[in-house]
Amino acid sequence: MALRCGIIGLPLVGKTTLFNLLTQGEAETSTFAGRTKTNVRTAPIPDPRLDFLAALYHPRKITPASLEVIDVPGLTRGSGAAFLAAVREVDALIHVVRAFRRDDVLHVEGSLNPARDLEMINAELLLADLQLVETRLERIAASKKVKGELLAEQNALRKCQEALETEKPLLEAGLTPDEWQALRHMGFLTTKPMLIVANIDEEQLKAGDYQGRKEVEEYASVRGIPVLTLCAALEGEIARLEPADRQEFLREMGIAEPGIERLARAIYRRLGLISFLTAGEDEVRAWTIREGTNARAAAGKIHSDIERGFIRAEVVGFDDLKDAGDMNKAREKGLVRLEGKDYIVQDGDIINFRFNV
């Protein structure tokens, strides 16, 4: 199953613009609140390492790593439970908060205040989880016999209820591993990794600051949430340019790389993911795995037969290969090594699995 991210936030903050940038899509955007449609599309993870390998091997196919992105309609006070149902099963949340100034796009709360907006959406997440907990407790209470696993779930839910009623996210509820196991089917929102995206305008980008920045960073710091600042309107212009013109535009603006690429990688890191690479004339491909995955399990991402018949992994780090120039020179320099099944795969490892079935 593909890993999934949900984009949330108030109406008219740039969620769908960000969705289109991530997914290279063309979902309809509007300057008026009221969207009810949920957008879903796969987003490739930009990886310049694939470009280098493609130039080396001239493959018939290039396959980047990817995530499924879900763009839900904007939340307003009290609307959370209905809209947030679409992101209950995602692996992470991207919270877009508006900092940009634009007179023709009204703010649903009447004024720009990013920290207030963050608190408002946080309250909706807490409320949605509380409603889920209360509904489940009611169903358990209606059961004829509450014992065993059901009793364990009930006790864990009561701890969740207590935390949520005091406005604590469930990560701060103090649940034991066994209690989390009892609630593994619940799909809570306040347990999900989150990334905050402050959507700014071009003047704010040039100034390197925006109204409410200090408060946003304090809010995020207390909760351990990464913040990425991005000008979605400018990113849209960049995305429409031809590759050569794009690089020239970035240089003129003093931008090292498109923010959307930084965002895609930040999501990846927030989920604790890395990529290992495979390369040949048929395909150059990035494979998504969790940090800490061993070589044998990584082989299973390609095919279960490779995992089952694993013998050795022939590994070279991307930077080593790039410095050497090609695989033959990397071998001559002793940069290509054989690793066993317990080797922990590193981000950017280029791997050829040896197996026998």
Side-chain angles (χ1 to χ4, degrees):
M1 182 180 293
L3 290 155
R4 292 167 291 180
C5 285
I7 302 178
I8 61 172
L10 293 172
L12 307 178
V13 298
K15 297 187 306 300
T16 303
T17 299
L18 195 65
F19 171 83
N20 285 337
L21 287 165
L22 277 170
T23 64
Q24 301 171 11
E26 297 180 356
E28 183 179 359
T29 60
S30 173
T31 56
F32 300 96
R35 175 170 67 93
T36 58
K37 180 184 177 183
T38 296
N39 300 309
V40 182
R41 192 179 171 97
T42 298
I45 304 299
D47 192 337
R49 297 174 300 194
L50 296 180
D51 297 332
F52 174 83
L53 292 173
L56 206 59
Y57 287 94
H58 306 288
R60 285 184 279 275
K61 185 178 181 183
I62 302 171
T63 307
S66 63
L67 294 169
E68 186 176 84
V69 182
I70 301 171
D71 166 35
V72 301
L75 305 178
T76 53
R77 295 180 190 272
S79 71
F83 287 125
L84 289 167
V87 291
R88 280 255 173 235
E89 301 306 319
V90 301
D91 300 285
L93 295 171
I94 306 167
H95 184 175
V96 183
V97 62
R98 175 177 172 177
F100 67 84
R101 298 157 297 189
R102 188 171 160 185
D103 293 339
D104 64 329
V105 179
L106 298 176
H107 193 293
V108 293
E109 290 295 309
S111 63
L112 278 179
N113 188 331
R116 174 205 60 205
D117 298 349
L118 287 169
E119 292 282 7
M120 187 186 308
I121 296 300
N122 182 58
E124 290 300 320
L125 297 176
L126 290 166
L127 180 60
D129 275 356
L130 181 58
Q131 291 176 347
L132 187 65
V133 166
E134 290 175 342
T135 299
R136 182 60 184 157
L137 281 171
E138 288 172 5
R139 289 178 180 172
I140 291 175
S143 301
K144 294 181 180 179
K145 294 181 180 180
V146 181
K147 59 182 181 180
E149 291 184 1
L150 205 57
L151 179 60
E153 182 184 350
Q154 184 183 58
N155 291 334
L157 285 167
R158 284 173 177 161
K159 287 180 72 171
C160 292
Q161 185 178 34
E162 182 179 347
L164 292 165
E165 286 177 344
T166 56
E167 299 184 357
K168 290 182 180 178
L170 292 180
L171 286 176
E172 299 176 17
L175 270 64
T176 67
D178 287 342
E179 287 170 331
W180 282 121
Q181 179 65 16
L183 301 175
R184 62 191 182 279
H185 60 288
M186 290 298 293
F188 291 124
L189 295 165
T190 60
T191 61
K192 298 186 184 299
M194 181 181 287
L195 184 74
I196 294 171
V197 175
N199 189 8
I200 62 174
D201 57 48
E202 285 192 47
E203 289 184 7
Q204 293 166 331
L205 177 65
K206 292 173 183 175
D209 198 11
Y210 60 87
Q211 177 185 330
R213 179 174 182 168
K214 180 181 177 181
E215 291 80 4
V216 167
E217 291 178 348
E218 287 176 352
Y219 173 96
S221 177
V222 168
R223 294 162 177 79
I225 304 173
V227 180
L228 196 88
T229 304
L230 183 145
C231 178
L234 181 63
E235 293 289 334
E237 293 180 25
I238 293 171
R240 286 190 289 271
L241 295 173
E242 294 297 323
D245 295 334
R246 191 178 304 162
Q247 293 304 316
E248 180 63 26
F249 184 83
L250 289 171
R251 280 194 295 272
E252 290 177 2
M253 294 294 295
I255 301 172
E257 65 175 333
I260 204 65
E261 294 187 11
R262 291 187 290 114
L263 174 59
R265 288 199 301 274
I267 296 166
Y268 219 54
R269 288 193 299 270
R270 187 65 173 143
L271 285 167
L273 304 174
I274 63 172
S275 292
F276 74 89
L277 312 169
T278 55
E281 293 180 358
D282 287 336
E283 183 180 33
V284 164
R285 181 164 181 166
W287 301 87
T288 301
I289 55 173
R290 298 277 182 188
E291 285 185 284
T293 299
N294 65 35
R296 186 172 182 176
K301 289 291 294 185
I302 299 175
H303 199 285
S304 59
D305 284 349
I306 303 177
E307 181 177 14
R308 183 161 50 88
F310 181 94
I311 299 173
R312 285 284 187 274
E314 186 182 59
V315 182
V316 60
F318 175 79
D319 289 338
D320 287 338
L321 175 65
K322 188 174 181 180
D323 289 343
D326 60 41
M327 192 63 78
N328 289 333
K329 291 177 182 176
R331 286 196 176 93
E332 290 172 6
K333 293 183 177 183
L335 300 173
V336 181
R337 59 194 189 276
L338 291 177
E339 300 286 0
K341 64 181 180 180
D342 295 325
Y343 167 72
I344 301 302
V345 176
Q346 303 299 305
D347 185 53
D349 276 350
I350 301 164
I351 306 179
N352 177 40
F353 293 103
R354 298 182 182 179
F355 66 102
N356 182 31
V357 291

mmCIF file of all heavy atoms in Angstrom, residues 47-49 52-53 277 316-326 330 333 335 337 347-350:
data_model
loop_
_atom_site.group_PDB
_atom_site.id
_atom_site.type_symbol
_atom_site.label_atom_id
_atom_site.label_comp_id
_atom_site.label_asym_id
_atom_site.label_seq_id
_atom_site.Cartn_x
_atom_site.Cartn_y
_atom_site.Cartn_z
ATOM 1 N N ASP A 47 14.140 13.558 -6.898
ATOM 2 C CA ASP A 47 15.398 12.961 -6.461
ATOM 3 C C ASP A 47 16.428 13.118 -7.578
ATOM 4 O O ASP A 47 16.429 12.355 -8.549
ATOM 5 C CB ASP A 47 15.195 11.479 -6.131
ATOM 6 C CG ASP A 47 16.372 10.866 -5.394
ATOM 7 O OD1 ASP A 47 17.495 11.418 -5.520
ATOM 8 O OD2 ASP A 47 16.189 9.848 -4.705
ATOM 9 N N PRO A 48 17.310 14.119 -7.459
ATOM 10 C CA PRO A 48 18.302 14.351 -8.526
ATOM 11 C C PRO A 48 19.250 13.177 -8.726
ATOM 12 O O PRO A 48 19.896 13.067 -9.770
ATOM 13 C CB PRO A 48 19.059 15.601 -8.041
ATOM 14 C CG PRO A 48 18.768 15.702 -6.579
ATOM 15 C CD PRO A 48 17.421 15.113 -6.380
ATOM 16 N N ARG A 49 19.345 12.280 -7.763
ATOM 17 C CA ARG A 49 20.195 11.098 -7.929
ATOM 18 C C ARG A 49 19.709 10.234 -9.085
ATOM 19 O O ARG A 49 20.504 9.603 -9.783
ATOM 20 C CB ARG A 49 20.224 10.291 -6.630
ATOM 21 C CG ARG A 49 20.839 11.056 -5.459
ATOM 22 C CD ARG A 49 20.729 10.313 -4.150
ATOM 23 N NE ARG A 49 19.359 10.038 -3.766
ATOM 24 C CZ ARG A 49 18.978 9.641 -2.550
ATOM 25 N NH1 ARG A 49 19.892 9.481 -1.603
ATOM 26 N NH2 ARG A 49 17.718 9.413 -2.271
ATOM 27 N N PHE A 52 21.130 11.531 -12.390
ATOM 28 C CA PHE A 52 22.524 11.115 -12.623
ATOM 29 C C PHE A 52 22.576 9.672 -13.111
ATOM 30 O O PHE A 52 23.275 9.350 -14.073
ATOM 31 C CB PHE A 52 23.332 11.267 -11.335
ATOM 32 C CG PHE A 52 24.735 10.725 -11.439
ATOM 33 C CD1 PHE A 52 25.748 11.500 -11.993
ATOM 34 C CD2 PHE A 52 25.037 9.432 -11.022
ATOM 35 C CE1 PHE A 52 27.048 11.000 -12.112
ATOM 36 C CE2 PHE A 52 26.318 8.927 -11.145
ATOM 37 C CZ PHE A 52 27.330 9.720 -11.688
ATOM 38 N N LEU A 53 21.818 8.798 -12.445
ATOM 39 C CA LEU A 53 21.828 7.382 -12.827
ATOM 40 C C LEU A 53 21.233 7.180 -14.217
ATOM 41 O O LEU A 53 21.698 6.333 -14.984
ATOM 42 C CB LEU A 53 21.059 6.553 -11.790
ATOM 43 C CG LEU A 53 21.714 6.454 -10.410
ATOM 44 C CD1 LEU A 53 20.774 5.756 -9.423
ATOM 45 C CD2 LEU A 53 23.040 5.710 -10.483
ATOM 46 N N LEU A 277 18.315 2.695 -4.175
ATOM 47 C CA LEU A 277 18.186 2.821 -5.618
ATOM 48 C C LEU A 277 18.614 1.547 -6.324
ATOM 49 O O LEU A 277 19.512 0.829 -5.852
ATOM 50 C CB LEU A 277 19.042 3.987 -6.114
ATOM 51 C CG LEU A 277 18.910 5.302 -5.338
ATOM 52 C CD1 LEU A 277 19.986 6.276 -5.756
ATOM 53 C CD2 LEU A 277 17.528 5.907 -5.535
ATOM 54 N N VAL A 316 26.816 0.073 -3.283
ATOM 55 C CA VAL A 316 27.717 1.215 -3.402
ATOM 56 C C VAL A 316 26.910 2.461 -3.046
ATOM 57 O O VAL A 316 25.754 2.603 -3.449
ATOM 58 C CB VAL A 316 28.328 1.334 -4.821
ATOM 59 C CG1 VAL A 316 27.250 1.499 -5.884
ATOM 60 C CG2 VAL A 316 29.317 2.502 -4.879
ATOM 61 N N GLY A 317 27.488 3.339 -2.251
ATOM 62 C CA GLY A 317 26.815 4.590 -1.920
ATOM 63 C C GLY A 317 26.733 5.501 -3.128
ATOM 64 O O GLY A 317 27.640 5.516 -3.972
ATOM 65 N N PHE A 318 25.651 6.269 -3.226
ATOM 66 C CA PHE A 318 25.479 7.132 -4.399
ATOM 67 C C PHE A 318 26.645 8.095 -4.566
ATOM 68 O O PHE A 318 27.173 8.268 -5.674
ATOM 69 C CB PHE A 318 24.169 7.922 -4.303
ATOM 70 C CG PHE A 318 24.016 8.904 -5.432
ATOM 71 C CD1 PHE A 318 23.598 8.488 -6.680
ATOM 72 C CD2 PHE A 318 24.352 10.248 -5.254
ATOM 73 C CE1 PHE A 318 23.499 9.383 -7.741
ATOM 74 C CE2 PHE A 318 24.257 11.154 -6.299
ATOM 75 C CZ PHE A 318 23.826 10.716 -7.541
ATOM 76 N N ASP A 319 27.057 8.759 -3.489
ATOM 77 C CA ASP A 319 28.146 9.733 -3.592
ATOM 78 C C ASP A 319 29.436 9.071 -4.055
ATOM 79 O O ASP A 319 30.203 9.666 -4.828
ATOM 80 C CB ASP A 319 28.353 10.426 -2.243
ATOM 81 C CG ASP A 319 27.209 11.377 -1.898
ATOM 82 O OD1 ASP A 319 26.504 11.806 -2.831
ATOM 83 O OD2 ASP A 319 27.032 11.675 -0.712
ATOM 84 N N ASP A 320 29.682 7.838 -3.588
ATOM 85 C CA ASP A 320 30.881 7.115 -4.021
ATOM 86 C C ASP A 320 30.836 6.830 -5.517
ATOM 87 O O ASP A 320 31.837 6.984 -6.225
ATOM 88 C CB ASP A 320 31.021 5.797 -3.247
ATOM 89 C CG ASP A 320 31.447 6.023 -1.799
ATOM 90 O OD1 ASP A 320 32.024 7.087 -1.517
ATOM 91 O OD2 ASP A 320 31.186 5.142 -0.966
ATOM 92 N N LEU A 321 29.662 6.398 -5.992
ATOM 93 C CA LEU A 321 29.523 6.117 -7.421
ATOM 94 C C LEU A 321 29.694 7.390 -8.242
ATOM 95 O O LEU A 321 30.379 7.401 -9.274
ATOM 96 C CB LEU A 321 28.156 5.488 -7.707
ATOM 97 C CG LEU A 321 27.837 5.245 -9.190
ATOM 98 C CD1 LEU A 321 28.790 4.201 -9.779
ATOM 99 C CD2 LEU A 321 26.390 4.802 -9.383
ATOM 100 N N LYS A 322 29.092 8.464 -7.791
ATOM 101 C CA LYS A 322 29.181 9.725 -8.524
ATOM 102 C C LYS A 322 30.620 10.222 -8.591
ATOM 103 O O LYS A 322 31.081 10.675 -9.648
ATOM 104 C CB LYS A 322 28.294 10.775 -7.853
ATOM 105 C CG LYS A 322 28.177 12.068 -8.647
ATOM 106 C CD LYS A 322 27.188 13.016 -8.010
ATOM 107 C CE LYS A 322 27.059 14.294 -8.841
ATOM 108 N NZ LYS A 322 26.098 15.244 -8.231
ATOM 109 N N ASP A 323 31.341 10.106 -7.477
ATOM 110 C CA ASP A 323 32.739 10.538 -7.460
ATOM 111 C C ASP A 323 33.605 9.663 -8.376
ATOM 112 O O ASP A 323 34.519 10.158 -9.042
ATOM 113 C CB ASP A 323 33.291 10.482 -6.030
ATOM 114 C CG ASP A 323 32.691 11.561 -5.143
ATOM 115 O OD1 ASP A 323 32.121 12.529 -5.678
ATOM 116 O OD2 ASP A 323 32.769 11.428 -3.903
ATOM 117 N N ALA A 324 33.282 8.357 -8.414
ATOM 118 C CA ALA A 324 34.063 7.436 -9.252
ATOM 119 C C ALA A 324 33.763 7.641 -10.732
ATOM 120 O O ALA A 324 34.635 7.469 -11.587
ATOM 121 C CB ALA A 324 33.773 5.996 -8.851
ATOM 122 N N GLY A 325 32.513 7.986 -11.046
ATOM 123 C CA GLY A 325 32.137 8.233 -12.439
ATOM 124 C C GLY A 325 31.260 7.165 -13.034
ATOM 125 O O GLY A 325 30.345 7.457 -13.792
ATOM 126 N N ASP A 326 31.529 5.889 -12.735
ATOM 127 C CA ASP A 326 30.677 4.802 -13.192
ATOM 128 C C ASP A 326 30.952 3.579 -12.309
ATOM 129 O O ASP A 326 31.849 3.580 -11.464
ATOM 130 C CB ASP A 326 30.864 4.481 -14.672
ATOM 131 C CG ASP A 326 32.296 4.054 -15.014
ATOM 132 O OD1 ASP A 326 32.899 3.285 -14.230
ATOM 133 O OD2 ASP A 326 32.809 4.483 -16.063
ATOM 134 N N ALA A 330 34.093 2.447 -9.818
ATOM 135 C CA ALA A 330 33.797 2.293 -8.395
ATOM 136 C C ALA A 330 34.309 0.950 -7.886
ATOM 137 O O ALA A 330 34.836 0.854 -6.771
ATOM 138 C CB ALA A 330 32.290 2.415 -8.159
ATOM 139 N N LYS A 333 38.085 0.970 -7.489
ATOM 140 C CA LYS A 333 38.503 1.705 -6.297
ATOM 141 C C LYS A 333 38.079 1.012 -4.997
ATOM 142 O O LYS A 333 38.320 1.542 -3.908
ATOM 143 C CB LYS A 333 37.920 3.125 -6.330
ATOM 144 C CG LYS A 333 38.502 3.990 -7.434
ATOM 145 C CD LYS A 333 37.935 5.399 -7.368
ATOM 146 C CE LYS A 333 38.573 6.303 -8.420
ATOM 147 N NZ LYS A 333 38.075 7.689 -8.321
ATOM 148 N N LEU A 335 35.033 0.520 -3.937
ATOM 149 C CA LEU A 335 33.892 1.208 -3.319
ATOM 150 C C LEU A 335 32.627 0.358 -3.315
ATOM 151 O O LEU A 335 31.661 0.683 -2.625
ATOM 152 C CB LEU A 335 33.619 2.524 -4.059
ATOM 153 C CG LEU A 335 34.782 3.529 -4.059
ATOM 154 C CD1 LEU A 335 34.463 4.717 -4.958
ATOM 155 C CD2 LEU A 335 35.071 3.997 -2.631
ATOM 156 N N ARG A 337 30.802 -3.031 -2.321
ATOM 157 C CA ARG A 337 31.023 -4.049 -1.294
ATOM 158 C C ARG A 337 29.861 -5.027 -1.248
ATOM 159 O O ARG A 337 28.750 -4.704 -1.691
ATOM 160 C CB ARG A 337 31.209 -3.390 0.065
ATOM 161 C CG ARG A 337 30.014 -2.554 0.495
ATOM 162 C CD ARG A 337 30.318 -1.629 1.662
ATOM 163 N NE ARG A 337 29.099 -1.014 2.172
ATOM 164 C CZ ARG A 337 28.550 0.068 1.673
ATOM 165 N NH1 ARG A 337 29.091 0.671 0.633
ATOM 166 N NH2 ARG A 337 27.435 0.555 2.200
ATOM 167 N N ASP A 347 20.256 5.642 3.123
ATOM 168 C CA ASP A 347 19.646 6.453 2.076
ATOM 169 C C ASP A 347 20.643 6.660 0.935
ATOM 170 O O ASP A 347 21.790 7.046 1.154
ATOM 171 C CB ASP A 347 19.221 7.818 2.637
ATOM 172 C CG ASP A 347 18.476 8.652 1.619
ATOM 173 O OD1 ASP A 347 17.502 8.140 1.045
ATOM 174 O OD2 ASP A 347 18.870 9.811 1.395
ATOM 175 N N GLY A 348 20.206 6.375 -0.281
ATOM 176 C CA GLY A 348 21.061 6.554 -1.453
ATOM 177 C C GLY A 348 21.916 5.357 -1.805
ATOM 178 O O GLY A 348 22.664 5.414 -2.790
ATOM 179 N N ASP A 349 21.816 4.274 -1.035
ATOM 180 C CA ASP A 349 22.532 3.055 -1.423
ATOM 181 C C ASP A 349 22.027 2.574 -2.775
ATOM 182 O O ASP A 349 20.809 2.505 -3.007
ATOM 183 C CB ASP A 349 22.303 1.937 -0.393
ATOM 184 C CG ASP A 349 23.244 2.035 0.803
ATOM 185 O OD1 ASP A 349 24.187 2.836 0.758
ATOM 186 O OD2 ASP A 349 23.013 1.299 1.784
ATOM 187 N N ILE A 350 22.942 2.244 -3.668
ATOM 188 C CA ILE A 350 22.585 1.613 -4.939
ATOM 189 C C ILE A 350 22.862 0.129 -4.766
ATOM 190 O O ILE A 350 23.991 -0.271 -4.464
ATOM 191 C CB ILE A 350 23.412 2.192 -6.097
ATOM 192 C CG1 ILE A 350 23.164 3.708 -6.177
ATOM 193 C CG2 ILE A 350 23.059 1.516 -7.419
ATOM 194 C CD1 ILE A 350 24.187 4.447 -7.002
#
